[in-house]
Amino acid sequence: MHFNYMKKPAPREAILSLFSQKPKSFVSGARISAELGISRTAVWKHISSLRQAGYNIEAIPSRGYQLKRSPDILMPEAIQADLGCRVIGSRVCCLDAVDSTNLQACRFGDDGESEGLVIVADQQSSGKGRVGRRWESPSGVNLYASILLRPAILPFDAPKLTFLSAVAVCRAILSVTGLRATVKWPNDVLLNGRKVAGLLNEMSAETDRVNYVVLGIGVNLNMRNDQFPEDLRYPATSLAIAKGSPVSRLDFTRILLQEIDTLYQLFLEKGSGPVFVAWEQLCEMTGKSVRVDCNGLQIEGVMTGLAEDGALLVCTATGKVERIYAGDVRPA
Ligand code: BTN
């Protein structure tokens, strides 16, 4: 397990941060030593350990060190370097393998961990999907992340945070690939009509108070077609399939955390309204005819948007506006 606090940068994180301030340039050993307050020998030891972790760092005696290439492994130092978030990523835990990042985040939440903690795993043995389904989580290709939040909101309002994650994922996809993802109520992100990300929020609460919320986010980044299970309910894709080239897991993770941080501040300051507006703009079905399967009961009508509590609003042929709290929505 690799674990880090943002407020106390580890030497390796500080060195990566120096490299990121001067991309493609050499940083002298003397400068690293002075900035970090450590000896030149210690600098060398940390550079060696970064190399062992897969960083390609060139060393030229008269010039210093240059970062040539970062590995696409998720390490706290690399995720946190100059992240610039207010809350999200205050602590980052990267696991080689875990049952489920959501379960791990809940365990940390029960232990009193502060909000902003991010758990990411290279693979999950029991990745959790919605309604008890399984989330396929092979190693080395995707992002499996859970974020611990402690918002001062009522338990009733916590499901609204799912829309925040969905908007953040779409923004990160646009920023990293230039591709326009869309959202599907309540918690899917689609690319070319195929599912590219799933969101699963979990909560610990008392009647009138939230102890913590875990935002669970799974994004298919570099998964190949042959890695998807055959019994998928909904056609799936990955960013690499849609874009035709691999995506850096590190870059995507950092941008996603920054987007979540921005939207979380907005949510705390202004409520769910602005996040809902952003979500409705990303939903291709807004204003279109849809059919919703609510546990076998079919509702047809025009999707008009989200109610103030996150319910899906569908205006039926009789003019009645139905509020839907659970169901599968598809274009009619
Ligand atoms: C869905 O069914 O669409 C939701 C899938 C959510 C998967 C993510 S992967 C990271 C986090 N940990 C889990 O066990 N599940 C969520």
Side-chain angles (χ1 to χ4, degrees):
M1 185 187 298
H2 310 278
F3 225 147
N4 253 7
Y5 286 95
M6 193 152 71
K7 291 181 183 64
K8 233 175 116 197
R12 294 198 332 174
E13 178 198 329
I15 292 172
L16 290 174
S17 172
L18 286 175
F19 284 138
S20 75
Q21 287 162 23
K22 294 185 92 195
K24 298 193 179 123
S25 315
F26 279 87
V27 183
S28 71
R31 168 144 184 244
I32 300 174
S33 151
E35 296 258 351
L36 274 65
I38 57 176
S39 69
R40 298 285 288 273
T41 316
V43 170
W44 175 249
K45 265 173 44 193
H46 291 303
I47 293 281
S48 300
S49 99
L50 282 168
R51 281 178 172 155
Q52 267 168 20
Y55 290 84
N56 180 346
I57 299 171
E58 187 178 1
I60 297 184
S62 56
R63 303 178 70 188
Y65 303 99
Q66 185 184 14
L67 177 62
K68 294 279 194 191
R69 194 170 33 79
S70 300
D72 196 17
I73 46 167
L74 297 170
M75 296 285 286
E77 296 93 338
I79 292 175
Q80 288 181 310
D82 299 320
L83 191 61
C85 291
R86 282 164 72 174
V87 173
I88 310 299
S90 51
R91 196 177 186 204
V92 173
C93 172
C94 296
L95 302 160
D96 296 332
V98 71
D99 47 2
S100 148
T101 55
N102 268 26
L103 286 174
Q104 185 65 42
C106 290
R107 292 190 277 262
F108 278 120
D110 292 337
D111 286 351
E113 191 65 49
S114 330
E115 81 164 347
L117 168 75
V118 175
I119 313 274
V120 294
D122 184 59
Q123 59 181 307
Q124 301 183 113
S125 54
S126 311
K128 293 183 0 168
R130 268 182 69 222
V131 289
R133 295 193 192 103
R134 183 184 151 75
W135 186 256
E136 202 63 24
S137 310
S139 156
V141 282
N142 293 334
L143 174 64
Y144 317 113
S146 298
I147 299 170
L148 182 75
L149 299 177
R150 295 189 184 276
I153 57 174
L154 293 170
F156 170 80
D157 287 321
K160 297 175 180 174
L161 289 162
T162 306
F163 301 98
L164 182 160
S165 306
V167 173
V169 169
C170 288
R171 290 184 178 175
I173 290 175
L174 182 65
S175 166
V176 170
T177 65
L179 300 172
R180 290 192 183 275
T182 58
V183 293
K184 176 174 167 298
W185 189 87
N187 56 0
D188 290 344
V189 177
L190 309 180
L191 209 42
N192 306 326
R194 292 172 167 263
K195 181 156 167 168
V196 72
L199 313 164
L200 181 69
N201 286 5
E202 302 196 55
M203 167 172 65
S204 156
E206 288 153 38
T207 318
D208 54 357
R209 134 171 211 275
V210 167
N211 296 324
Y212 63 78
V213 176
V214 167
L215 304 186
I217 304 174
V219 189
N220 300 332
L221 296 181
N222 296 315
M223 212 158 162
R224 298 182 311 270
N225 273 317
D226 63 309
Q227 290 179 299
F228 289 104
E230 278 168 14
D231 56 344
L232 278 175
R233 268 179 58 259
Y234 203 86
T237 190
S238 70
L239 294 191
I241 292 169
K243 182 172 171 260
S245 56
V247 167
S248 155
R249 291 197 297 175
L250 176 61
D251 291 351
F252 187 89
T253 304
R254 285 170 51 83
I255 291 170
L256 178 66
L257 298 184
Q258 288 163 345
E259 294 292 353
I260 290 176
D261 194 68
T262 304
L263 288 164
Y264 186 49
Q265 295 307 321
L266 187 68
F267 182 91
L268 294 179
E269 281 162 24
K270 304 249 163 73
S272 55
V275 173
F276 281 13
V277 170
W279 186 94
E280 285 165 348
Q281 286 167 355
L282 289 164
C283 183
E284 273 186 329
M285 294 187 217
T286 309
K288 307 243 172 74
S289 292
V290 294
R291 181 178 300 124
V292 194
D293 179 348
C294 307
N295 272 328
L297 174 72
Q298 306 292 325
I299 296 174
E300 279 198 38
V302 173
M303 186 194 138
T304 55
L306 297 174
E308 62 295 336
D309 59 357
L312 185 74
L313 297 175
V314 176
C315 182
T316 65
T318 64
K320 186 176 178 221
V321 177
E322 299 280 356
R323 292 169 85 100
I324 294 160
Y325 287 93
D328 187 29
V329 53
R330 308 218 177 195

